Amino acid sequence: MRSTQIRSLFTDFFTSRGHQPVPSSPLIPDDPTLLLANAGMNQFKPYFLGETTPPFPRATSIQKCARTSDIDNVGRTNRHATFFEMMGNFSFGDYFKEDACAFAWELLTEGYGLEKDKLWITVFKDDDEAEHIWRRIGVPASRIQRLGMEDNYWSMGVAGPCGPSSEVNYDRGPAFGKEGGPAIDGERYVEIWNLVFMQFQRGEGDKKGNFPILGELDRKGIDTGLGLDRLAAILQDAQNVCTTDLLLPTFHTVQDLAGRACPDEGEEKVSFQVVTEHARSIAFLVADGVLPAKDGRGYILRRLMRRAIRHARRLGIDGPVLPATTASVVGNLGDVWPELAGQAALIEQVVTAEEESFTRTLAQGTRLLDAAISRTQGSGSAALPGETAFELADTYGFPLELTVEAAREAGLTVDEERFATLLDEQKKRAQAGGKAKTAEALRKMDTYRELAARLPRTEFLGYDHLTAEATVTGLISGGTVVPYAGVGSEVELTLDRSPFYAEAGGQIGDTGTLTMADGTRLEITDTRYGLEGFRVHSARVLEGELHTGTSGEAQVDAERRAGLMRSHSATHILHAVVMATLGDHARQQGSLVEPDRLRFDFAHFTALTPEQLHRIEQAVNGHVLDDPDVRAWHADRVEAEAAGAIALFGEKYGERVRIVDIGDFSRELCGGTHVAHGSQVGAFRLLSESSIGSNLRRVEALTGHGTLRHLDTERRLLNELAGLLGTRPTDAPDTLRKRLDALAAAQEKLARLRAEELRQQAGQLAAKAQPAGRGQLVVQRVTGIAPDELRGLAADTLGRLGHGTAIVILGTEHDGKALLAAAISPTLHQDGTQASQILTQAARTVAGGSGGRGPLASAGGRRPEALNDALNLASQEATGLLSEH
């Protein structure tokens, strides 16, 4: 049975039984606790936790999953993979164990036609109910095994729903391992379907990690996962996942690149399977917007890439491997997963760039590692020093896991404990400078918590009002809660109502004034969140004395806020344009929204071309001129995501969210302030584009008055330039170009004349050579010679003295400094003489030093008045050398 049939049969089976089909979520999960989607239930987690009411009682999905916890087992077992499709059915307080087990048995035996006597069941050791259900279905007690918490119990690792699980396993026969059921051999008795029974509520854990069971859930749930890879291997009678139709084309591609078939066993077989399996993970991760990076999910992708490349090199594949293998994944699975086909060009670009980069790293690191392994083996030690592994990783970017693998192949271990110590020491050094600031921040947080515990949250009025009557509810000075503050004091305060926007989502906080009824006046210098949802205003008391409990008028700086709104709306427009221009992967990774200025960070793997930047700027201005409506609305998180709203990386959102639409091209979750119409953004001007890290780019831009001021400055500069050139502004570039061409021609002519002048001078100097010892000597003070000409003049003079033994020493004064140069003939240099030794004493005389190795050297110092003495000393040194030669 082909994988397409396996998928459709699963979906049809559960859809016909009342389950709502739900598309797979992306591999980048909407969950800050996860780097990557690793289970089918991830997108349903809010339903199971009771945070959101599910829109349907039961669901089914085929979820893309990525897990690297078992990465070392890939290729070494028949069942492990770093990417897989998890087919699942879910119940949110609807059916429970009886139906879940019955569904699984019916689909496996009648739908997929698996032999009943090859199916084994495991249940949690205390779950009598589950065993009885399976026995009623017809599974004999001899094929039901009870296992412990590690194998047959599920929880999220935190307080919340938990419960026992039951696994369906398939016996692949004696060729795959020992008898005795799944408790004995997981290779022979392969787990294919896991049924989780969310039955209990557990409380907060203690320091030892023990979680008390608080009782049974009112609404019990079902979460199951049937692995497509493993089921396909069984139904297609494939040895392992790489030989199913899910990966077979890629497996063939690897064999073609290697120029031979994969062996039946051994380390080569492992390498063939690693390259094949990792190529699929890489393609899906990049298609879903993950780019290589030094940490986080980007590091997981980079590790998979580097591991695949290294295993390819073991197979003798010296050329590129990732472009061809990931292309085969796209070709094979692109119809089922359209994002693969849609991002085919991006996948190729990313893997090509990363492989080229890592190939350079690998070549350098491998040479150093091989030498270190040889030294370790020669010393008789069984462990590669942690210092070596750390230097390879820290200085050369060679990953620790590759060092460990290479050492293992050579029969060595790596002192990973010492490596970890060195890494920790490096982190501590980096953190040392911020300790005082951290301590101060912690003290502030304690103060904020003290206030937040007894104060209501501030009512924010700033979307609709820039002024508001407000009462001071809390006052902090010097990190301590105080009842009042006098004139000149720097304070932090909280208000019951506030029009001031607190810094969030890249938009900096509002500033303005607070004028109390008694005449006390404050300047609000910043607004931000001390704690999540706890708004703090930084202020300076300008007049009077401020007391807690007093009221007055809060006034936002309207002009500054208008500039912030222009920049924030422009950021949304820019985000949409960047994604439209570069691809969906180019999502916002950070931003800074300032009055009439913005900074925008996004994921991308190469520098933008001038043409791309021009297109982006034009497109943003085009949207602005179209004057789209800017509309904010609220919805449940799930509803907003279903409507296509973009959630920004690193931002926290509640279940009720605010969405900002700009025309029909931009929809983002956003709590910031915006203009009412696109045209209010004003003119938009890109200033710069640069790299800020691995696969991260940054653009800076101006909006509104910032753009107008910039354009005015450019206009005035152009007019000034045109005036200096004596032409019109429109003709200035051509006029300047002609002048520069003429200047370059004149400079070239002057250079030729100067060269000829120096050649003549070299001839004149050579004519002044005096016999010394067994050779010739020229010692001369010259004038009108630039520093970069002195060495060349010395060498040219030496060349005019023929092939005999000779030394030339020249000195000059330039910009208040003494300069010397010395040139010696090849015969002297071949005998071990260095030109610099002639100038050593001379350099000290002019209070400087000498430099240069070989037959040409120079020296300089800050005492030009001693230049003649220095030339005499150098002459004596040269005469001595010529006498000895």
Side-chain angles (χ1 to χ4, degrees), residues 434-450 479-480 530-531:
K435 280 188 176 179
K437 290 182 180 179
T438 301
E440 180 184 351
L442 289 173
R443 285 195 299 272
K444 271 193 172 185
M445 292 297 286
D446 289 339
T447 305
Y448 295 151
R449 289 191 187 97
E450 177 189 340
T480 304
L531 298 172

Side-chain angles (χ1 to χ4, degrees), residues 462-519:
Y463 290 134
D464 303 310
H465 304 283
L466 295 182
T467 61
E469 288 296 316
T471 300
V472 178
T473 56
L475 194 56
I476 300 170
S477 180
T480 304
V481 177
V482 295
Y484 66 90
V487 65
S489 299
E490 302 280 347
V491 296
E492 293 179 311
L493 56 93
T494 57
L495 302 171
D496 64 337
R497 310 163 78 235
S498 174
F500 296 101
Y501 179 81
E503 180 174 345
Q507 180 176 332
I508 63 175
D510 277 336
T511 62
T513 59
L514 181 61
T515 305
M516 314 311 293
D518 63 2

Side-chain angles (χ1 to χ4, degrees), residues 632-650:
W633 51 289
H634 293 81
D636 292 336
R637 180 76 183 273
V638 174
E639 180 187 348
E641 290 176 353
I646 295 175
L648 300 187
F649 177 77

Side-chain angles (χ1 to χ4, degrees), residues 494-575:
T494 57
L495 302 171
D496 64 337
R497 310 163 78 235
S498 174
F500 296 101
Y501 179 81
E503 180 174 345
Q507 180 176 332
I508 63 175
D510 277 336
T511 62
T513 59
L514 181 61
T515 305
M516 314 311 293
D518 63 2
T520 299
R521 195 163 61 88
L522 291 86
E523 178 189 6
I524 303 297
T525 57
D526 192 16
T527 310
R528 53 193 170 74
Y529 289 108
L531 298 172
E532 187 176 346
F534 185 68
R535 194 178 303 262
V536 177
H537 306 75
S538 298
R540 182 183 302 110
V541 182
L542 301 178
E543 295 178 24
E545 188 173 80
L546 180 68
H547 290 260
T548 303
T550 56
S551 300
E553 184 181 71
Q555 173 73 55
V556 174
D557 183 334
E559 184 177 346
R560 183 174 180 274
R561 166 70 85 81
L564 287 165
M565 292 163 66
R566 284 190 287 267
S567 292
H568 203 154
S569 297
T571 301
H572 281 223
I573 297 172
L574 175 62
H575 190 189

Side-chain angles (χ1 to χ4, degrees), residues 328-607:
S328 72
V329 172
V330 173
N332 186 38
L333 299 175
D335 290 340
V336 178
W337 299 101
E339 59 268 36
L340 285 175
Q343 297 292 350
L346 173 68
I347 294 168
E348 181 182 11
Q349 289 174 310
V350 170
V351 299
T352 299
E354 186 68 14
E355 183 160 6
E356 288 173 353
S357 173
F358 184 56
T359 297
R360 293 190 293 271
T361 297
L362 197 62
Q364 184 177 26
T366 300
R367 287 194 299 270
L368 296 170
L369 180 57
D370 289 345
I373 287 173
S374 296
R375 288 196 303 272
T376 303
Q377 291 173 326
S379 68
S381 174
L384 196 71
E387 287 81 0
T388 300
F390 181 76
E391 182 185 9
L392 283 167
D394 186 52
T395 305
Y396 301 100
F398 199 80
L400 173 64
E401 59 268 20
L402 295 189
T403 300
V404 171
E405 284 187 14
R408 184 170 60 229
E409 292 166 13
L412 301 174
T413 60
V414 175
D415 188 348
E416 293 187 59
E417 185 175 338
R418 177 59 178 159
F419 176 92
T421 299
L422 292 169
L423 185 62
D424 186 55
E425 288 175 356
Q426 184 189 60
K427 289 179 180 177
K428 286 177 178 176
R429 286 194 298 272
Q431 295 167 354
K435 280 188 176 179
K437 290 182 180 179
T438 301
E440 180 184 351
L442 289 173
R443 285 195 299 272
K444 271 193 172 185
M445 292 297 286
D446 289 339
T447 305
Y448 295 151
R449 289 191 187 97
E450 177 189 340
L451 275 179
R454 58 184 175 83
L455 295 178
R457 292 293 184 265
T458 302
E459 180 186 0
F460 178 58
L461 307 172
Y463 290 134
D464 303 310
H465 304 283
L466 295 182
T467 61
E469 288 296 316
T471 300
V472 178
T473 56
L475 194 56
I476 300 170
S477 180
T480 304
V481 177
V482 295
Y484 66 90
V487 65
S489 299
E490 302 280 347
V491 296
E492 293 179 311
L493 56 93
T494 57
L495 302 171
D496 64 337
R497 310 163 78 235
S498 174
F500 296 101
Y501 179 81
E503 180 174 345
Q507 180 176 332
I508 63 175
D510 277 336
T511 62
T513 59
L514 181 61
T515 305
M516 314 311 293
D518 63 2
T520 299
R521 195 163 61 88
L522 291 86
E523 178 189 6
I524 303 297
T525 57
D526 192 16
T527 310
R528 53 193 170 74
Y529 289 108
L531 298 172
E532 187 176 346
F534 185 68
R535 194 178 303 262
V536 177
H537 306 75
S538 298
R540 182 183 302 110
V541 182
L542 301 178
E543 295 178 24
E545 188 173 80
L546 180 68
H547 290 260
T548 303
T550 56
S551 300
E553 184 181 71
Q555 173 73 55
V556 174
D557 183 334
E559 184 177 346
R560 183 174 180 274
R561 166 70 85 81
L564 287 165
M565 292 163 66
R566 284 190 287 267
S567 292
H568 203 154
S569 297
T571 301
H572 281 223
I573 297 172
L574 175 62
H575 190 189
V577 168
V578 166
M579 290 176 61
T581 304
L582 304 177
D584 288 345
H585 68 281
R587 295 204 170 201
Q588 179 175 329
Q589 302 296 304
S591 68
L592 177 63
V593 176
E594 296 180 308
D596 297 323
R597 187 182 188 94
L598 66 89
R599 188 178 73 206
F600 180 77
D601 303 336
F602 59 97
H604 195 54
F605 46 87
T606 186

